[in-house]
Amino acid sequence: MELAYIPSPSSGVLYLGPVPLRGYAFSILVGLFVALWIVDRRWVARGGQKGTAWDIAFWAIPFGLVGGRLYHVITDYQLYFGEGRDWVDAFKIWEGGLGIWGAVALGALGAWIGCRRRGIALPPYADAVAPGLALAQAIGRWGNWFNQELYGRETDLPWALHITSTEGGRVPGYYHPTFLYESLWCVGVALLVIWADRRFKLGHGRAFALYVAAYCAGRFWIEYMRVDEAHDILGLRLNNWTAMIVFVLAVVYIVVSAKKRPGREDVVEPGEAAAFDGAADASGGTGTGEKGKADSPEAKGDAEPTEDTEAGGDAKAEEAAKNAKNAKSAKGKEDAEAGDDAEADSGGARSKDGAGSAKKS
């Protein structure tokens, strides 16, 4: 008896009048906008300018979509170039089929181009992107639910996915909802990256590498459950091997990067730093915050005299020496006059004594 299950939509397309709204494309677009909103907030929090994330995304998103589609078509070429297949279907991206590996690889190339045009290093931008990208995947995976694709083995669990379509060789039944497993896993990855970034101040691309490693760990066991057609290598699906290799590379990057460049970048966008320094100069400081105040000429005082203060100091010293000399001369004159008076008085006294002595004799 059917107690509970996840139903599949009767159609993956909704019509707004004559305009078709495909669930797969809608999920991808919502995921992208959520990701960009998060990236923009994280970039500003790291010290970047508002709007920079959107400018770079102008390059990264098209490259990512092309890369994701290329990876899917290349690794599943038999779906488009096999016997009885129409190669034109390779361009029908709205019908599903985006490989995350190709999307991230080519999307990173597009992001690098966008960063170069803004004079920004790619690693800090990638760190800002990481949790947003994971949430974009979490939302985008619901596009597979609309298309009734990428499910796992049969199951009688209460959260089983009820597949009703027979298109493309599907067999109606109840299967593991691997799209849901991956969606929930990606939410967990996003939360993990946000927590680790705050706790350990990840920088130089390590937050992005953590996202990659965590996603690969989940993708491995989820991919192992899937039953859709795929290439096998030594008993494992191609995406399993990809997940293992990329996982190892991400972990190695985290370890090596932490040793060579520990900590986090102080400045992520040169334009923002220049603007801040300009404001500091306009206010009379030469640095930022308390440091600027400490470095100001008023605070330094005699520690670092300027040419004007040195010249003023010399003039004052010369004037003081002159005054001291005059005072000494005046004092000497007064002492001399006092000595003369004392000598005169002494002489008078002697004369008087002499006269007294003569009279007495």
Side-chain angles (χ1 to χ4, degrees):
M1 182 176 64
E2 297 178 357
L3 296 178
Y5 59 86
I6 300 174
S8 293
S10 58
S11 175
V13 184
L14 299 175
Y15 287 91
L16 302 178
V19 180
L21 179 62
R22 299 184 179 276
Y24 185 86
F26 178 75
S27 300
I28 297 295
L29 290 176
V30 171
L32 288 176
F33 277 106
V34 170
L36 284 173
W37 178 75
I38 294 174
V39 173
D40 187 59
R41 288 174 60 87
R42 284 176 55 82
W43 184 251
V44 172
R46 287 287 301 274
Q49 298 182 32
K50 190 171 183 60
T52 295
W54 293 82
D55 294 339
I56 298 175
F58 177 80
W59 292 90
I61 291 176
F63 274 74
L65 292 175
V66 171
R69 188 60 176 178
L70 281 175
Y71 182 89
H72 169 72
V73 172
I74 292 173
T75 55
D76 291 310
Y77 62 88
Q78 72 281 356
L79 300 177
Y80 306 99
F81 303 102
E83 185 178 353
R85 303 288 185 173
D86 187 356
W87 64 271
V88 177
D89 292 340
F91 297 94
K92 297 179 180 179
I93 191 173
W94 57 86
E95 293 184 355
L98 288 175
I100 185 61
W101 315 110
V104 172
L106 216 57
L109 175 61
W112 177 79
I113 295 174
C115 287
R116 289 274 294 181
R117 292 172 61 88
R118 293 296 297 263
I120 296 171
L122 180 61
Y125 183 78
D127 287 337
V129 166
L133 183 55
L135 287 178
Q137 290 179 251
I139 297 172
R141 272 304 175 197
W142 284 86
N144 303 132
W145 175 70
F146 282 104
N147 287 351
Q148 297 196 40
E149 61 184 1
L150 304 188
Y151 45 86
R153 296 186 292 271
E154 286 191 286
T155 181
D156 58 357
L157 293 171
W159 56 83
L161 176 66
H162 188 198
I163 296 297
T164 59
S165 174
T166 58
E167 185 179 354
R170 297 182 181 90
V171 178
Y174 299 91
Y175 301 89
H176 278 284
T178 51
F179 84 91
L180 178 60
Y181 298 161
E182 186 167 339
S183 178
L184 294 175
W185 183 269
C186 287
V187 172
V189 170
L191 295 176
L192 171 65
V193 173
I194 292 174
W195 171 81
D197 194 27
R198 291 178 178 177
R199 175 66 177 81
F200 302 105
K201 304 296 182 184
L202 300 178
H204 302 286
R206 289 189 288 276
F208 186 82
L210 176 61
Y211 146 74
V212 172
Y215 172 75
C216 289
R219 180 62 184 267
F220 182 86
W221 67 265
I222 294 171
E223 185 74 22
Y224 192 75
M225 296 177 67
R226 283 168 47 172
V227 295
D228 53 300
E229 186 178 358
H231 296 286
D232 286 350
I233 301 176
L234 299 178
L236 288 177
R237 294 163 65 95
L238 175 61
N239 283 330
N240 283 117
W241 286 104
T242 304
M244 285 192 297
I245 294 172
V246 175
F247 173 84
V248 172
L249 293 176
V251 172
V252 169
Y253 179 87
I254 293 173
V255 174
V256 174
S257 175
K259 290 183 178 180
K260 289 189 174 182
R261 293 162 53 169
R264 176 185 285 180
E265 300 89 345
D266 294 326
V267 177
V268 296
E269 190 164 0
E272 184 74 5
F276 189 81
D277 290 343
D281 292 340
S283 64
T286 57
T288 59
E290 296 299 325
K291 186 177 185 300
K293 294 179 181 179
D295 293 341
S296 63
E298 291 82 359
K300 289 185 177 181
D302 295 336
E304 295 184 10
T306 60
E307 294 181 0
D308 292 340
T309 57
E310 289 177 355
D314 294 341
K316 290 181 179 179
E318 184 178 353
E319 184 178 355
K322 184 177 180 181
N323 292 337
K325 184 177 180 181
N326 293 336
K328 183 176 181 181
S329 176
K331 188 175 185 303
K333 185 176 180 180
E334 291 177 357
D335 292 343
E337 291 177 353
D340 292 342
D341 292 341
E343 186 177 354
D345 292 341
S346 176
R350 285 196 301 268
S351 299
K352 187 176 180 180
D353 290 342
S357 297
K359 185 177 179 180
K360 185 177 181 182
S361 63

